[in-house]
Amino acid sequence: MNDELMIDVRDLHHAYTHGGVVEPVLHGIGLHVQRGEFVVVMGPSGCGKTTLLNIIGLMLTPTRAETVRVAGCETLGLDEALRTRLRRDALGFVFQRFNLLRTISVRRNVALPLGLRGMAADGPVDDLLARVGLAGMAHKKPGQLSVGQQQRVAIARAVVGRPALLLADEPTGNLDSANAAAVLDLLSEVHRADGQTIVMITHNEQLAVQADRVLHMRDGRILD
Amino acid sequence: MFALAWANLMHHKLRSLLSALAVGIGIMLMLVSNGLATGSLAEVDQRMQSVDAELVILPAQDNIIFTGGAPFRRGHEQHLCQAADERGPLAAEVIPVFFGQVKMGGQQQRLFGVDPRQMAAFLGPRRVLAGKLFERAGAFCDRLRAGEAAAPSLSDPAYQAFIADGLELVIDQRLQRVGGYRLSDELQIMGQVFRIVGIIETGVAGRVFAPLQTLREIALAGEPSASMYFVRLRPGLDPVAAADFFQRGLGSDVRVELKSDYGRLLRESFAQVSLYLNASSGVALSACFLFILLTMYTTVIERTREIGILKSLGVGRGGLLRLSINEALLISLGGVAIGMVLAFLVRGVLLVYKPLLTVELAGRGLAAAVIVGVVGGVLSALYPGYRAARLDPAVALSAE
Ligand SMILES: Nc1ncnc2c1ncn2[C@@H]1O[C@H](COP(=O)(O)OP(=O)(O)O)[C@@H](O)[C@H]1O
Ligand SMILES: [Mg+2]
């Protein structure tokens, strides 16, 4: 065991079952990510990237694996309450569809992870909103923002609690190139300034250049 | 979680309002039907307590609310008057009451047939506001008592002349105001035309009084029957012991009760009706809370992805259940508030259109409404909350 590893996945298999049909998706994945690394995962649609990210993010339980250690914690066999705790305390997510809560304000969205940990505070939230260039938008509802702004709110929400690991699933997939570049700059900045460990899925070769390492996936396997 | 619950409700204002309104209507039904029952019973009890007596003698079998007829005979009255210990009769005054019915002020009233000479026991410190208390009827009763006037048969033309002096009514001020009555107004009761001769302060046992002897003549050809008795005891007697003594003498088809127990007896007599009332407002309320359940359930389906988001942020099963409960509680407590406002409105409307009804909306009923709201809210949130908590996070996130 190496505690420098943020992610230590070995021989990970996953299959979905729907309507009695078993569809194997991941075939013996091995993945090591160091603390402070910015890793990009690329691969064609349907190759299993999201499935892998969901397993690392404790949103999905794998069919079988030798080990799935995340943030220094073996997640195999963990009960739901502990998985929830780990998600809350150690992980941040950024999704292609932003996934902001539309009934509450931008500030409340960003403050949510802090509130859940019982550390509600406006100061860090406002600082962070200023940092992502949305200082004046705190009171608006997500629906009143442009898509680029929404994704920046989502990034602010993902990092506000200083999670050990940030997982981003095609965060630029719904953005035009200018907004995509801005979002990527933001992620790189968080990585550089805060030493944030990031695993990001993307289709876009150009976005991958900022990463420390690029992994290619195909048909449920990581290529060397 | 609370802010989020509130925000979610505000996002669907109309739906939240309708759910709260549904609960509000149920709560209003509960408050008004119970308030009407307890209010009316309390009012009747209060009026009965105003009589200057310690004991009430009632038929054993009867439900005292719907009691009718006059089961007591001369023998009962004699026993009550004559029962004595070594220091003399136990009763200082035996007050027979003969109940009739009269429609006044828009609803059926219990007509109290009372001996004009015993009106003081009913009046107590209250004042006569207008007219007199049975002046001519009093004389008529005295003549009957003295045996001077024997009743002609009903078919005899002389009967009208005989009974005429006895056809007097005394009413209380509340009924007078509600019905807009004035002195000398005439009313048909049991085939005879009575005249209002007196108006007394509200709070006396009956709203309408007629001379006991007149009612006995009309209804029972002068038979000295009674529907109940009040008994004022000789000063210094222990009412409980005296009640016991009378009870033993009168036998088991009579019940002798302390006047102070009358309210309890009323409520006991009403228990079956109130069971029905509670059951029907219970059914109405269950339907209302099913409405919340449906709303919450719809919400869970609609917000599947949002639930996925919350799970990705580390909200656990307990948190999602609490969210659901908070939302349902907000709706149901809003409903309780609406229900209270509606109940007070209904009471106001009733006060205008049915001024003789008393709707009691006070502490206990209102507290019960809050409890019903909280319990109903929590219960109706459990299943939807459970469904939300069980959703698979990854699947929930991929929902549309
Ligand atoms: N919840 C699911 N149930 C069944 N099959 C799924 C589910 N999610 C993804 N799949 C299937 O698994 C495969 C990999 O999907 P995914 O991990 O989303 O790939 P990617 O993110 O690389 O596009 C696809 O063939 C997809 O149809
Ligand atoms: Mg994907």
Side-chain angles (χ1 to χ4, degrees), chain A residues 168-179:
Chain A
D169 189 350
E170 302 197 38
T172 59
N174 279 355
L175 304 178
D176 60 31
S177 53
N179 274 314

Side-chain angles (χ1 to χ4, degrees), chain B residues 30-79:
Chain B
M30 175 189 116
L31 284 176
V32 170
S33 60
N34 278 309
L36 197 55
T38 51
S40 307
L41 295 183
E43 201 228 320
V44 170
D45 179 37
Q46 252 170 36
R47 289 200 270 121
M48 293 307 256
Q49 298 305 324
S50 76
V51 179
D52 182 15
E54 289 85 17
L55 304 182
V56 288
I57 318 294
L58 302 163
Q61 260 46 283
D62 258 24
N63 181 313
I64 67 172
I65 294 175
F66 306 107
T67 183
F72 293 115
R73 299 280 168 260
R74 187 190 302 276
H76 293 109
E77 192 162 335
Q78 273 169 358
H79 180 87

Side-chain angles (χ1 to χ4, degrees), chain B residues 96-243:
Chain B
V97 182
F98 185 101
F99 290 140
Q101 286 278 331
V102 54
K103 184 159 185 189
M104 287 181 80
Q107 68 184 71
Q108 285 295 327
Q109 305 288 344
R110 178 174 272 184
L111 174 61
F112 277 60
V114 172
D115 189 327
R117 291 207 304 192
Q118 293 183 314
M119 275 304 281
F122 290 89
L123 197 60
R126 286 168 207 81
R127 287 169 305 142
V128 180
L129 300 171
K132 295 266 168 52
L133 290 187
F134 300 131
E135 210 173 28
R136 286 165 64 190
F140 164 77
C141 296
D142 287 342
R143 284 202 298 282
L144 279 181
R145 220 185 322 264
E148 289 168 21
S153 80
L154 247 173
S155 49
D156 192 325
Y159 186 82
Q160 278 311 317
F162 157 76
I163 200 82
D165 278 351
L167 300 177
E168 293 188 334
L169 289 181
V170 169
I171 65 175
D172 79 357
Q173 193 184 24
R174 187 167 173 194
L175 181 59
Q176 179 260 321
R177 287 205 173 130
V178 168
Y181 296 108
R182 282 192 234 144
L183 289 182
S184 301
D185 278 357
E186 295 185 336
L187 284 127
Q188 273 265 325
I189 302 170
M190 297 192 258
Q192 299 291 336
V193 178
F194 282 69
R195 218 158 42 82
I196 298 175
V197 299
I199 290 159
I200 51 183
E201 259 183 277
T202 307
V204 287
R207 288 197 177 119
V208 196
F209 291 91
L212 172 73
Q213 289 81 351
T214 307
L215 297 187
R216 281 175 172 171
E217 282 300 334
I218 298 174
L220 301 163
E223 190 61 35
S225 302
S227 307
M228 67 172 291
Y229 300 94
F230 287 98
V231 173
R232 183 157 56 81
L233 295 172
R234 195 178 71 208
L237 279 182
D238 170 26
V240 177

Side-chain angles (χ1 to χ4, degrees), chain B residues 352-377:
Chain B
V352 174
Y353 291 100
K354 288 275 176 199
L356 292 176
L357 296 182
T358 307
V359 182
E360 186 181 284
L361 295 178
R364 277 179 61 166
L366 299 183
V370 173
I371 291 169
V372 165
V374 169
V375 171

